[in-house]
Every structure is written in C-alpha cells, then in structure tokens.
Amino acid sequence: MIELLRVALRNLMQQRARSLLTLLGVIIGIAAIVALVSVGEGLQYAVNEQFEKMGMDKIMVMPGSPDSPGLSGMMFGMGELTDRDVKIIEKVGGVEMAAPMILESAIIEMGRETAYTYVAGMPVEKKIMKMIEDMQGYEIRAGRDLTESDKYAALIGYGVENDLFDKNVRVRDKIKINGRTFRVVGVMEKIGSRMDDLSIIIPLEQSKEVLNKTDYFYIIVDVKNGEDVSKVAEKIKHDLKKDRNAEDFNLQTSEQLKETAASILGIIQAVFVGIAAISLVVGGIGIMNTMLMAVMERTREIGVMKAIGATEKRIMSIFLVESALIGLLGGVLGIALGSLVSYGVSLAATSYTSIPIKTIVAPYLVVGALAFSMVVGVISGAYPARRAARMDPVEALRWE
Amino acid sequence: MRNIIELRGVSKIYQLGKVEVKALDKVSFSIGSNDFISIIGPSGSGKSTLLDVIGLLTKPTLGQVFVDGVVTTEMSNDQMAEIRRKKIGFIFQTFNLIPRLTALENVMLPMWFAGVPDSEKKERGQQLLELVGLGHRINHKPNELSGGERQRVAIARALTNKPKIILADEPTGNIDSKSGKQIMDILIKLYKDEKKTVVMVTHDNSLAKRARKRIKIKDGKIIRRAK
Ligand SMILES: Nc1ncnc2c1ncn2[C@@H]1O[C@H](COP(=O)(O)OP(=O)(O)OP(=O)(O)O)[C@@H](O)[C@H]1O
Ligand SMILES: [Mg+2]
C-alpha cells in the first residue's frame, strides 16, 4: 500500500501542471462546501444567539397584514399601531408589559456638522428599559441610562460617538435631532451590528414630537412568567381584531420568529450546499478527464505491466490510488482554503453588516469533507481505472 | 526431455471487417525445457503473434497452448497473469522500460507484482543488474542509457522472478550490431548456464543460426524446422 502511494505520487508529479489543475478543481469544490456550510452554521448560531437574548417569552406586534406584510399596507393604507392598541394589549391577561417603539431616520446636527441616522423612541420606565437592554444586549459605557425624569436626553451608540461626526460625541454634548436640542447622557458599548451602533435612543414622548409620529414601528409584549406565550398571543390577536375590525396587523411570538428564521436559513443553507456540491461534481469530472488521459498515455506501460505479471486488480489499484490521492489532497487543501474564506467572511460580516457572524468549521465538517473528497476521487477514477485494468495486453503493447 | 511449451493446432484469426487475417494458421510444435529456439520469417508472417500466444498475452482463436504441462485455454486473465509472472520473462524490441523509473526500479517492478519483500527486491535487483554488466548504472533513468544498456536492463527485468522461459521479440532489432552481440551472448548464457528456455524472434539470419533450433514461419504457418 505504501508502495502504491509512492507510485501514485510519482505518477502525479510527472504531469505536474495537469495534476495541479485537476487538484484545483477539487480544492475549489471542497473549499466552497466548507466555507458555505461553516458560514451557514455561523449564521444559524448568530441568529439563535439573538433569539436567546430576546428571550422566548416575547410577542412582537407590527403593522401590516399577516398574509402579505408590507404590500397590503402600501395598497390599502397600513393599519397603524397607536396608544389605543397598547392599552388593549396591556389589558390582556398574562401580559407583563407592552413596550411600543418608534424608529425613524432623522437629521442630526452637532456644531456645524449635519448627519443622518436612526432615532429610536422608547418608553423610559425602568423595567421597560431593562427589558429592551436585555433584548438588544446593550450596556452603558459612559454616562448613564435614560431615566423616567429624562426629557430631551439621548443615549448614543458607539458608531454615533465615533464615526458620525468629525469630532467624537461625548457625554454632556448637545446635539440637534430634527432641530430640537438634546443632551447626550450616555454612550453605549459597541454592540457589533452597524445599525444598532448608529442609533440614538430618546424617550418615547420626545420622539413622537421630533419625529412627528403617533404610530409605532412595533410593540414588544413581555409575557408573564409561567404563562403560555402562544395562548397569550391568540388572546391579543383576538382583542385587537375585535377593536380594529380588521386583521391589519401582524403578530409573532419569539418562537415563531425563530422558526421562520430557522427555515429561511435552512433553505439558504441547502441552496449553498447544492451549489458547492455541483462545483465538486465538476471537480470530479476533472479528475475523470485527467485519469482517462493518463490511462491513454500510459497504455503501453499498462501492456508492459501486464506482460510482466500484474493482475487486473493491481493495475486498477494503481490508477484508483492516484485518483483517490487527488481527491484526498484536494480535500485537505480545500478544507484549509475553505476555513480561510469562512474566517474572512466572519471578519467582513462583523465589520460591514448588522449580523456579527462567528463562523465555525466543525470537526464533523472536516471529516465529512475529507471523506467526501476521497469518495469523489475514487468514483471519478473508477471508470478510467477499470478501463486500464481491462486493456488487452497485446493491443496495449502495440500502441503507438 | 519434458515439454515446457506445447502448441496444438493453434490459429489466431483477426477479423478486419469482412476480411479474415490468419496471423497464425494451425501451428503445432513443442519446446523442451532448456532449449534455444529462434523464429525467423518475413514481416507480417505472424512471429510476434506466435510469441504473444506462447507468452499467454493473448488466447488463440483455435487450438491449445500448454505451459509446463498445464492447458491454458480455459484460464482467466489473472490466472494467465500469474503464469506470466512466475514462469515467463519478456524482452521486447523497443525495450519497454518505464521511463519514470530508474534501471533498478524497472527491474524491481515484477517483484512488486509478485509481493517480494522490500529488502530482497533491492538486493536481487542489484544482483541482476550486475549480472548483465550494469552494476554501475542502477540509478540511471532509461533515457540516460544507450540502447544496448536499456535492453540489458530489460533482460534483468525479465529474469527477476526466476522464470523458466524467456521470450524475446527481436531483442537486437533496435540496437547496433556490437551491442546486439552482447545481448545475444547473454541470451546464450541464460540457455547454457542458467538452463532457461529461450525463444527468440529475429530478422538476422546470422543471429538465428546461433540458436539450437530454428523455426521458419510464413503466412502464419511453420514452413521449416532446422537443427
Ligand atoms: N490486432 C490486429 N488486428 C488485425 N490484424 C492484426 C493484428 N495484429 C496483427 N495483425 C496481423 O497479423 C499478422 C501477423 O502480425 P505479426 O505482428 O505477428 O507479424 P510479425 O511477423 O511479428 O511481423 P514483423 O516482423 O513486422 O514484426 C499481420 O498480417 C498483421 O497485420
Ligand atoms: Mg513482430
């Protein structure tokens, strides 16, 4: 077996350029699989973590019909969520609290500079602030949190502090939001998502004023401990529908959100792996092509080996080991390249998008990719090797 | 003298479209152990085909081939390969060495197929190369050797598994006459000293005469046997 490996390696080295090109085909296929699977898993992990933070006892109420969110809103006039709805929700049994949120982009001024960013209006009651902090995962780095007595006070994200203006924004600085002056009372720790870091949080009442809005972006409902979240959700839905006379709102428990996200991710993952698998099939065809060429070129040699007593099995194994070796080598290098790519993606994702993805190259993925690449090598080499083994020795020896 | 090779009514017919080519036409003869036979005849007369049949590289269309008293007609490819490996050594006009391998590695190749252990392979390979006068060339690749030297490597390779039969198809056809003499001397030594059975195809009458027996072949038929 060691002898076979040595012989195979030697034969591959003989046609270096061709072997390398064939190898490249496998490397790309395997690297694609490894990178896509690990990025997919990282995504899944990130999303799960997000839901972990959010907690499984939350219900989100958003404007728009549940059948075609967004579209019906545009066509029939979006059902707006207002204080009236918040009151109804709060009255439903099992609801701990309901926190409406406003989110809108606004013009921010500091000194002579002007910038656009997101402004979020949130209720400043202590327990609501606490819940939202837990969900979003933000912490105060400098200054303090908003309190119930705050009016024109703002909490700024890491990105607002550092990137929005030429000069860093500090605690106690004055900024103008849509023309109204707010005092910065606190700076948040970096969250890692671009959109969160570029947000400014202000008290709900003041946000209604400066953003000129009375309807909410969404309402977060916290369910009391021990209550059945989906039953509470049903009740909220029932009461809202009765009051509004229409189902022009959309309601999702964290469980449902998680499931939706998981199924979307699942589809993305499947498509990714499908594409990667196709590229590996192409790599396999490359191996087959190379091996067929090798068998043809070495026809005479095969004749000689048969004349001096090599069995069909031996001839077959010589070529099979060669193609398996291409597969295995491509697998090893492909895993290395794929891991590198997935690491790069995680770096890029963390700094450019709102989802910090930690990609994971799991051990099962490494083992699986290695096994898969070798199987591809063996399968693509099987036909050429059989052809070599079945060659007629006399014809092979007379081959010019 | 026991027959090591026996052909009974052997025909080899190639079908080329509608035309039948009789490469061998009802050939019968036997060769005793420890003999030296030369086969001569015009081009296309069936000499190589005869060697292929004797060497179990191909099966005859009709007739039977016995090697060492065993009939080979019903054998599988791998059974024939085993007989080639154990009892037959081939020498070709074009040497047919593997270009990537050194002289020593070429000689060791049949031992690999026979499952000989590593250390023994090396030792025997070296001995054989010394026997054919190439002890100083064992690490040369075929393209670093002269034609005569290459053929001597091929002879060493043919001898590795201690075959009883040496089949040589125009072994001097591609080399100069001086080297050809050397090759011829080695073959005669194998017959005389090592007690091998040598069957050699040649175009050269003077070389053919050095064999113990001559067979002349034309149109796939043996037309003369001479001592
Ligand atoms: N695979 C084949 N298909 C058809 N005809 C073949 C095949 N192999 C050999 N022949 C024919 O069989 C005949 C004998 O061929 P063979 O090679 O045995 O001749 P030879 O005596 O060795 O000739 P040379 O001296 O040129 O080597 C020739 O007529 C040749 O054309
Ligand atoms: Mg010939």
Side-chain angles (χ1 to χ4, degrees), chain A residues 26 55 62 78 82 91 144 276 281 294 310 317 328 341 378 385 388-389 398:
Chain A
V26 183
M62 288 155 282
M78 178 125 40
T82 61
K91 276 198 212 111
R144 59 170 179 81
V281 167
S317 59
L328 191 67
V341 168
V378 170
R398 293 194 181 187

Side-chain angles (χ1 to χ4, degrees), chain A residues 10-11 300-301 309 312, chain B residues 77 84-85 94 96 100 105:
Chain A
R10 197 162 180 161
N11 286 332
R300 237 188 132 91
E301 214 175 294
E312 296 191 352
Chain B
N77 289 343
R84 289 197 296 269
R85 186 164 68 235
T94 51
N96 281 339
R100 292 185 297 290
E105 287 166 336

Side-chain angles (χ1 to χ4, degrees), chain A residues 307-373:
Chain A
I308 62 180
T311 54
E312 296 191 352
K313 220 172 105 191
R314 178 57 64 97
I315 304 276
M316 182 131 167
S317 59
I318 287 173
F319 285 93
L320 263 188
V321 167
E322 236 174 280
S323 64
L325 203 61
I326 296 179
L328 191 67
L329 228 59
V332 170
L333 296 174
I335 288 168
L337 181 66
S339 308
L340 218 66
V341 168
S342 98
Y343 180 67
V345 167
S346 90
L347 282 187
T350 309
S351 49
Y352 296 116
T353 73
S354 59
I355 318 161
I357 303 171
K358 275 204 214 72
T359 58
I360 316 140
V361 181
Y364 90 86
L365 184 57
V366 172
V367 174
L370 273 186
F372 194 30
S373 64

Side-chain angles (χ1 to χ4, degrees), chain A residues 98-114:
Chain A
M101 296 256 285
I102 287 176
L103 187 71
E104 190 79 29
S105 62
I107 306 167
I108 318 294
E109 292 165 75
M110 190 177 81
R112 292 212 187 95
E113 282 182 78
T114 307

Side-chain angles (χ1 to χ4, degrees), chain A residues 113-171:
Chain A
E113 282 182 78
T114 307
Y116 282 89
T117 196
Y118 301 100
V119 172
M122 283 186 203
V124 286
E125 285 87 6
K126 198 163 181 115
K127 58 174 188 174
I128 295 184
M129 283 299 286
K130 175 87 175 61
M131 173 182 85
I132 290 169
E133 271 170 38
D134 286 347
M135 281 175 66
Q136 305 279 1
Y138 73 69
E139 283 164 39
I140 306 297
R141 206 194 62 229
R144 59 170 179 81
D145 214 340
L146 293 174
T147 65
E148 289 179 40
S149 57
D150 280 323
K151 296 217 155 22
Y152 294 95
L155 201 55
I156 60 170
Y158 174 88
V160 177
E161 177 195 19
N162 293 289
D163 304 335
L164 209 55
F165 300 105
D166 288 345
K167 227 178 75 184
N168 276 12
V169 184
R170 284 173 215 282
V171 177

Side-chain angles (χ1 to χ4, degrees), chain A residues 1 20 56 97 127 139 178 237 239 305 307 346 354:
Chain A
M1 191 63 208
L20 281 179
M56 297 316 289
M97 58 185 154
K127 58 174 188 174
E139 283 164 39
N178 285 351
K237 190 168 170 181
D239 288 2
M305 290 196 288
S346 90
S354 59

